[in-house]
Amino acid sequence: MNKSSGSSKPRLYITREIFNEALKKLEGVYDYEVWDRYQHPPYEFLRKKLVEFDAVLSMPTDRFDCEMIRSISHKIRIIANMAVGYDNIDVECATQHGVYVTNTPGVLTEATADLALALILATARRIVEGDHFVRWGEWWRTGTPFHPKMMLGMELYGKTLGIIGMGRIGVAVARRAKAFNMKIIYYSRRRLPENVERELGAEYRDLDDLLSNSDIISIHVPLTKETRHMINRERLSKVKRGAIIINTSRGAVIDTEALVEALEKGWIAGAGLDVYEEEPLNPNHPLTRFKNVVLTPHIGSATRETRLAMALLAVENLLAFAAGREPPTLVNKEVLRIKPPGFY
Ligand code: NAP
Ligand code: GLV
């Protein structure tokens, strides 16, 4: 889709179809073009295409490494990522080149926390396995409507939830877990203020302590140099036997090979995963072999309300920039000292 007025408005490339409500707000300010295929635009295509544009509204799967940024930064002034995570963008390189980077924090917190809870429940109570058991006739073939030892799972009441990365989503998961009467422990870069710890009933622990004392571990750190493979073989070997691991952050926070080994050796009782080191996940991937693993296709923020709010926030950032104002959710604030916002 192409919305061009033939005027001298800044040109915006949008790397996937977004809602019309968000597109409408751009009219009169930007001339925009939308990549309207379902598959993502290839890296080389974007590298060539974006040299003609002043701004880009991107998705977390569009890679803006330094090579890409160097190629496009003589014209592109802002990358408005429609995600809270921005590990797809080399932010340091963008700053050096005077390119603004924005994200969409906050608006997706509740939807993503809902999904984390859904994965906790689905894994602990074997919901997907149970569905298959009924749907594919296994239950029917047993001829047994009820057995005291059939499909036993883990109860949440009174169990310990270990949250790694107690930011917006981590806190929203803790709030939900409190309603299940779970004990909450957490590990994060910084401790929460005392009053928030008290309100959540959350205790700070170091990572090894959290791993060996949690019945369920839920990961909510961003993917950075420090968190890549934070959950590796050594750490997985320390996890309390019978625990479940949930990951809705980024796949590469866990070393996938080590996770598969932990599942094979029974170091953990199961996993609920929304994110993977390689996306989309190959259906022949070893993770798909385990009945005690629940897999969802990176849908943490996938509700209509949230995806619209994300698009609107990305657009708000683009509008502020075009008006010469600091975008409300600017990631690289240091860029303000390098180039002022606005197309000039
Ligand atoms: P956030 O508010 O920034 O929370 C992240 C937390 O992790 C912060 O408390 C942060 O500490 C902490 N942290 C950062 N690096 C750490 C480290 N090395 N060790 C320990 N703790 C560390 O972010 P959020 O909004 O909750 O989002 C978290 C992540 O979820 C995003 O980055 C994204 O990757 C992922 N996500 C996925 C989906 C999905 O569709 N599955 C949807 C939304 C988000 P500081 O406060 O010190 O920075
Ligand atoms: C989605 O994965 C996000 O980071 O918003």
Side-chain angles (χ1 to χ4, degrees), residues 84-87 105-106 108-109 112 115 164-170 187-190 219-224 226-227 230 247-250 274-275 298-302 307:
V84 64
Y86 45 83
D87 48 283
L108 43 59
T109 298
T112 310
L115 187 82
I164 302 178
M166 196 63 131
R168 288 170 291 251
I169 299 170
Y187 166 74
S188 206
R189 206 155 49 173
R190 287 178 284 175
I219 303 173
H220 301 286
V221 287
L223 177 61
T224 63
E226 293 75 41
T227 63
M230 177 186 219
N247 189 12
T248 57
S249 66
R250 284 290 182 268
D274 185 48
V275 286
H298 200 149
I299 53 168
S301 64
R307 285 286 161 81

Side-chain angles (χ1 to χ4, degrees), residues 53-327:
F53 287 82
D54 305 286
V56 55
L57 191 161
S58 58
M59 302 295 137
T61 42
D62 300 322
R63 183 159 51 94
F64 290 90
D65 54 17
C66 207
E67 196 183 328
M68 167 78 88
I69 289 166
R70 269 195 296 268
S71 310
I72 62 176
S73 60
H74 67 281
K75 202 156 161 58
I76 287 278
R77 296 290 325 285
I78 172 167
I79 304 169
N81 213 36
M82 201 179 117
V84 64
Y86 45 83
D87 48 283
N88 58 316
I89 303 170
D90 185 332
V91 176
E92 204 179 308
C93 180
T95 307
Q96 280 161 10
H97 288 80
V99 176
Y100 282 59
V101 176
T102 66
N103 68 341
T104 58
V107 292
L108 43 59
T109 298
E110 303 305 330
T112 310
D114 281 351
L115 187 82
L117 240 294
L119 285 173
I120 290 174
L121 284 166
T123 311
R125 298 304 304 272
R126 305 171 64 174
I127 302 289
V128 177
E129 197 187 336
D131 175 275
H132 291 175
F133 191 69
V134 178
R135 192 182 299 268
W136 305 115
E138 236 178 295
W139 190 31
W140 175 258
R141 281 190 291 276
T142 66
T144 307
F146 180 90
H147 189 285
K149 290 188 173 173
M150 190 180 96
M151 289 232 132
L152 303 184
M154 182 203 286
E155 191 153 318
L156 300 193
Y157 192 93
K159 292 292 186 318
T160 299
L161 172 66
I163 295 180
I164 302 178
M166 196 63 131
R168 288 170 291 251
I169 299 170
V171 166
V173 170
R175 292 216 159 93
R176 284 158 174 74
K178 206 179 161 194
F180 285 81
N181 199 46
M182 297 189 80
K183 174 176 175 171
I184 296 149
I185 61 178
Y186 76 98
Y187 166 74
S188 206
R189 206 155 49 173
R190 287 178 284 175
R191 277 188 75 154
L192 292 170
E194 243 178 77
N195 61 326
V196 182
E197 276 191 357
R198 218 174 308 114
E199 181 220 328
L200 295 172
E203 276 173 34
Y204 185 84
R205 300 287 175 91
D206 71 33
L207 185 53
D208 285 351
D209 182 314
L210 179 145
L211 295 173
S212 55
N213 285 297
S214 302
D215 299 296
I216 296 172
I217 296 162
S218 193
I219 303 173
H220 301 286
V221 287
L223 177 61
T224 63
K225 284 190 203 100
E226 293 75 41
T227 63
R228 182 173 294 277
H229 286 195
M230 177 186 219
I231 304 301
N232 55 18
R233 189 176 189 280
E234 191 199 334
R235 292 221 160 102
L236 283 165
S237 70
K238 293 183 177 155
V239 166
K240 179 176 177 179
R241 291 293 172 270
I244 286 170
I245 295 187
I246 305 296
N247 189 12
T248 57
S249 66
R250 284 290 182 268
V253 174
I254 304 183
D255 175 345
T256 311
E257 263 184 45
L259 180 66
V260 169
E261 184 186 353
L263 286 158
E264 273 164 355
K265 294 193 170 155
W267 295 348
I268 58 173
L273 308 171
D274 185 48
V275 286
Y276 310 88
E277 292 201 70
E278 294 281 336
E279 294 179 5
L281 186 73
N282 186 318
N284 297 318
H285 192 283
L287 281 173
T288 65
R289 290 201 304 260
F290 299 99
K291 275 188 176 177
N292 51 345
V293 174
V294 177
L295 306 166
T296 52
H298 200 149
I299 53 168
S301 64
T303 66
R304 193 189 186 280
E305 301 91 314
T306 290
R307 285 286 161 81
L308 175 59
M310 289 164 74
L312 289 172
L313 183 50
V315 164
E316 205 182 319
N317 279 307
L318 288 160
L319 294 177
F321 182 86
R325 284 187 280 110
E326 178 183 337

